């Protein structure tokens, strides 16, 4: 069945089946826990009918990764700035990596394949746009290419490169992930206002549409992506 996931100012993350009136899963703050606005949510790890994860980002910089199959909190961390967007590179595969965008001109890419018991997930951090990074969207035809939309009206295209070895052995002999690197392929400022919504075409590589706060809806084509 199709599912929707929502986050709200009450700090709750809810999963909905459109056929029923009540949420099928409601992930709420514990009693006595301070309630933070949930700004962004995303599905991932949906590689079979049982597995499903939801990543949620909050206004205080919290990131929480919920396992819906076991109804548990799988991972949490804090990125020090409000989380404006989160997206897995693919929803329908075993978790590979996901991008997190934040206030204060930063984004992170987390390697989600290996989680250390205490150190958590490996990640890289990058500055971009000299303003809020509102979103990141992975190219459907190549999950290692993604764009970011900035508060300066900027459109950046990046390529993620994996390290020579994605895991290493920590001092406690547990496996630990190793983050890759990103390369800025192209950058263009296309508006005086933030890019707040974006989508790639699943059919035509490089075709995209985006919305800015200058009340415009634009359609672009990004060329030569096949070279990467």
């Amino acid at each position: 069945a199709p599912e929707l996931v929502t986050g709200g100012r009450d700090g709750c993350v809810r999963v909905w089946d459109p056929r029923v009136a009540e949420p099928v899963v409601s992930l709420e703050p514990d009693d006595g826990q301070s309630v933070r606005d949930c700004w962004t949510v995303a599905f991932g790890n949906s590689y079979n009918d049982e597995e499903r994860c939801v990543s949620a980002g909050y206004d205080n910089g919290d990131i929480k990764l919920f396992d819906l199959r076991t109804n548990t909190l799988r991972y949490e961390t804090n990125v020090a700035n409000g989380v404006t967007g989160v997206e897995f590179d693919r929803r329908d595969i075993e978790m590979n990596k996901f991008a997190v965008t934040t206030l204060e001109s930063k984004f992170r890419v987390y390697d989600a394949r290996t989680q250390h018991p205490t150190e958590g997930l490996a990640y890289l951090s990058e500055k971009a746009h000299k303003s809020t990074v509102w979103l990141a969207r992975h190219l459907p035809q190549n999950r290692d290419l993604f764009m970011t939309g900035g508060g300066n009206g900027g459109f950046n295209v990046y390529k993620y490169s994996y390290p020579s070895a994605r895991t290493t052995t920590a001092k406690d002999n547990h496996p630990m992930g190793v983050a890759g690197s990103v390369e800025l392929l192209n950058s263009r400022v296309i508006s005086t206002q933030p890019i707040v919504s974006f989508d790639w075409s699943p059919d035509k590589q490089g075709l995209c549409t985006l919305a800015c706060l200058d009340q415009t809806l634009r359609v672009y084509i990004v060329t030569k992506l096949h070279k990467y």
Side-chain angles (χ1 to χ4, degrees):
E3 295 168 326
L4 302 173
V5 60
T6 60
R9 294 189 65 184
D10 58 0
C12 295
V13 175
R14 296 183 173 96
V15 178
W16 305 81
D17 183 332
R19 299 170 298 182
V20 297
E22 298 298 320
V24 294
V25 176
S26 185
L27 305 164
E28 304 175 4
D30 295 332
D31 292 339
Q33 186 178 5
S34 62
V35 175
R36 308 301 311 197
D37 294 5
C38 181
W39 280 359
T40 181
V41 289
F43 277 124
N45 207 42
S46 308
Y47 60 91
N48 61 31
D49 292 337
E50 286 78 36
E51 295 289 342
R52 197 83 79 249
C53 282
V54 167
S55 183
Y58 297 81
D59 67 336
N60 66 336
D62 282 349
I63 297 171
K64 298 184 179 183
L65 185 61
F66 300 100
D67 189 322
L68 298 184
R69 182 177 63 83
T70 59
N71 205 27
T72 57
L73 181 62
R74 187 164 177 167
Y75 173 71
E76 65 177 327
T77 189
N78 186 281
V79 298
N81 292 297
V83 179
T84 55
V86 59
E87 188 187 60
F88 291 90
D89 60 354
R90 290 285 185 275
R91 296 183 195 176
D92 56 354
I93 62 171
E94 189 174 351
M95 276 196 304
N96 182 53
K97 63 181 185 294
F98 60 92
V100 173
T101 58
T102 72
L103 306 177
E104 303 295 334
S105 315
K106 292 181 181 178
F107 69 86
R108 292 184 178 189
V109 179
Y110 284 83
D111 187 307
R113 281 288 166 92
T114 306
Q115 182 174 340
H116 187 271
T118 57
E119 298 298 323
L121 300 175
Y123 68 90
L124 66 86
S125 180
E126 191 84 1
K127 291 186 72 75
H129 301 291
K130 297 182 180 179
S131 63
T132 295
V133 186
W134 281 103
L135 49 79
R137 294 289 182 267
H138 294 84
L139 186 71
Q141 295 83 8
N142 182 349
R143 68 186 184 190
D144 297 329
L145 300 182
F146 65 97
M147 65 75 65
T148 59
N152 65 337
F155 180 126
N156 290 3
V157 179
Y158 293 91
K159 181 180 189 300
Y160 183 89
S161 297
Y162 296 97
S164 56
R166 291 187 66 177
T167 60
T168 186
T169 302
K171 293 180 180 178
D172 59 4
N173 290 324
H174 283 98
M176 185 168 65
V178 178
S181 59
V182 291
E183 175 190 358
L184 179 63
L185 301 180
N186 209 335
S187 176
R188 182 177 175 185
V189 175
I190 58 179
S191 174
T192 59
Q193 298 296 319
I195 298 172
V196 293
S197 185
F198 182 95
D199 200 20
W200 293 107
S201 168
D203 303 313
K204 174 70 174 177
Q205 181 170 277
L207 183 64
C208 60
T209 182
L210 57 94
C212 303
L213 291 184
D214 58 3
Q215 300 180 331
T216 61
L217 178 67
R218 306 170 192 227
V219 177
Y220 279 88
I221 183 78
V222 183
T223 59
K224 302 181 180 179
L225 292 174
H226 64 282
K227 293 187 176 182
Y228 302 99

